[in-house]
Amino acid sequence: MTHRTLPRQRLSRSPLVQVLAQAVFSSPVLAMPRYLPEIHDVLRRQLDLSETDETTETEIVFSLAGEPQTKQERKRWTFYRPDRRWAVVLSEQLVVLHTSAYDTFEDFAWIWRQVIEVVFGTVGIPRLQRIGLRYTDRVVLGPDEQAEQYLSAALLGYPRDREAALGARRVFARSDTVLQTAAGLLSLRCVEGQGLVLPPDLLPSVLVYPDAPSSDARVLLLDLDHSRAGEASAQPSTLADDFWALHDSLDLAFRNVVTDQALRAWGQEVFT
């Protein structure tokens, strides 16, 4: 069931860089490699996710004394489209869909449902421990532009008009606000710096991101992440409603923290 508090909008010059949906299984699927050929075959035929990649992440576990104790290796398998704009990441513990070619949530939600139906149906996932939906926007500031023209000053750290009184010049700024909603926890993170492409935890990625900024460009990253933790059903129909609830709060938050000037610059079109 779709639910929108605000009318649907489209930004013809959207600052959106990436959208990511995640579902974390209630317990690891140690036999995941056995299911990969069947999962990939369906994703290839239904969603054109024909390309593959496999990576191994090493996690070092420290003792209470701070000494390295054990190493845990975790494999991740990625299925992606030839143009590298859509990808599914799968591990023993989670499944992720992310894209750098987002249009509407209706389209994204449809693809996400195909992914979870294939993965959950093939592997037999009955329960989840966490779900999340994340939007990352990137604004490259012009020579005469300030961040306050695009985002609420509440996200931008120390008041810019008072920096001169300190004899200071802004080099970097970061803010992180966490809100409890009816659907989960909503994080609003904003970073201002030079040459920023994505938040560090989203790199590296198999996706391509058009219009990457130069290393000396002044950049704003607005990173909105809405998640819900706790045991829950993995039924796709139930999850569809859950993700619509996550999306609705993200949509409200985005429109509350960007300025009217920003929406005009990004070519806002509202559908009633």
Side-chain angles (χ1 to χ4, degrees):
M1 178 181 67
T2 63
H3 173 72
R4 287 184 180 275
T5 300
L6 298 176
R8 183 169 66 90
Q9 71 171 1
R10 175 177 279 122
L11 304 178
S12 60
R13 296 177 293 279
S14 175
L16 191 61
V17 180
Q18 176 172 279
V19 179
L20 180 152
Q22 180 190 76
V24 180
F25 313 143
S26 59
S27 58
V29 182
L30 301 181
M32 185 63 78
R34 175 155 53 94
Y35 299 107
L36 294 176
E38 183 178 351
I39 292 172
H40 183 219
D41 184 57
V42 179
L43 294 178
R44 176 184 57 80
R45 287 186 286 105
Q46 292 186 356
L47 299 174
D48 192 29
L49 296 166
S50 57
E51 306 300 312
T52 64
D53 186 48
E54 179 179 323
T55 58
T56 301
E57 299 177 345
T58 301
E59 179 182 357
I60 301 176
V61 179
F62 291 88
S63 68
L64 293 177
E67 297 294 328
Q69 193 169 26
T70 61
K71 290 184 178 181
Q72 296 180 353
E73 291 190 346
R74 305 183 188 280
K75 288 190 178 295
R76 292 198 173 197
W77 301 274
T78 303
F79 311 121
Y80 56 95
R81 289 181 176 173
D83 64 0
R84 292 180 177 263
R85 302 301 299 276
W86 289 84
V88 168
V89 180
L90 190 60
S91 77
E92 295 174 348
Q93 296 182 307
L94 56 78
V95 59
V96 168
L97 171 69
H98 59 149
T99 181
S100 60
Y102 181 94
D103 186 24
T104 67
F105 186 67
E106 284 82 354
D107 292 342
F108 182 87
W110 182 85
I111 293 176
W112 177 229
R113 179 154 182 169
Q114 308 310 303
V115 171
I116 61 176
E117 285 181 346
V118 171
V119 173
F120 295 178
T122 303
V123 178
I125 302 293
R127 307 286 293 174
L128 300 173
Q129 72 174 27
R130 184 182 183 276
I131 61 172
L133 184 63
R134 183 174 178 179
Y135 285 70
T136 304
D137 296 277
R138 182 178 65 216
V139 181
V140 179
L141 298 170
D144 300 320
E145 291 184 320
Q146 296 297 338
E148 288 80 1
Q149 295 173 237
Y150 292 92
L151 297 181
S152 167
L155 295 178
L156 299 174
Y158 192 85
R160 199 179 306 270
D161 58 1
R162 299 179 186 176
E163 291 176 354
L166 290 177
R169 177 180 60 85
R170 181 169 307 211
V171 176
F172 183 82
R174 177 172 55 209
S175 69
D176 191 346
T177 303
V178 180
L179 305 174
Q180 179 74 58
T181 72
L185 287 179
L186 175 59
S187 296
L188 301 92
R189 296 180 288 266
C190 181
V191 180
E192 180 181 357
Q194 286 191 318
L196 303 173
V197 177
L198 279 175
D201 67 305
L202 295 179
L203 295 170
S205 170
V206 300
L207 297 182
V208 295
Y209 303 95
D211 305 320
S214 63
S215 60
D216 60 348
R218 291 189 304 135
V219 177
L220 284 175
L221 290 182
L222 177 62
D223 193 21
L224 305 183
D225 186 355
H226 200 187
S227 63
R228 189 198 68 201
E231 285 280 316
S233 169
Q235 286 291 331
S237 58
T238 302
L239 275 179
D241 291 343
D242 293 339
F243 273 91
W244 267 103
L246 295 178
H247 170 268
D248 192 56
S249 293
L250 287 166
D251 185 31
L252 285 166
F254 174 80
R255 300 198 211 189
N256 284 335
V257 299
V258 301
T259 65
D260 291 340
Q261 179 179 345
L263 292 174
R264 290 193 297 271
W266 297 333
Q268 182 192 41
E269 181 179 5
V270 178
F271 300 88
T272 56

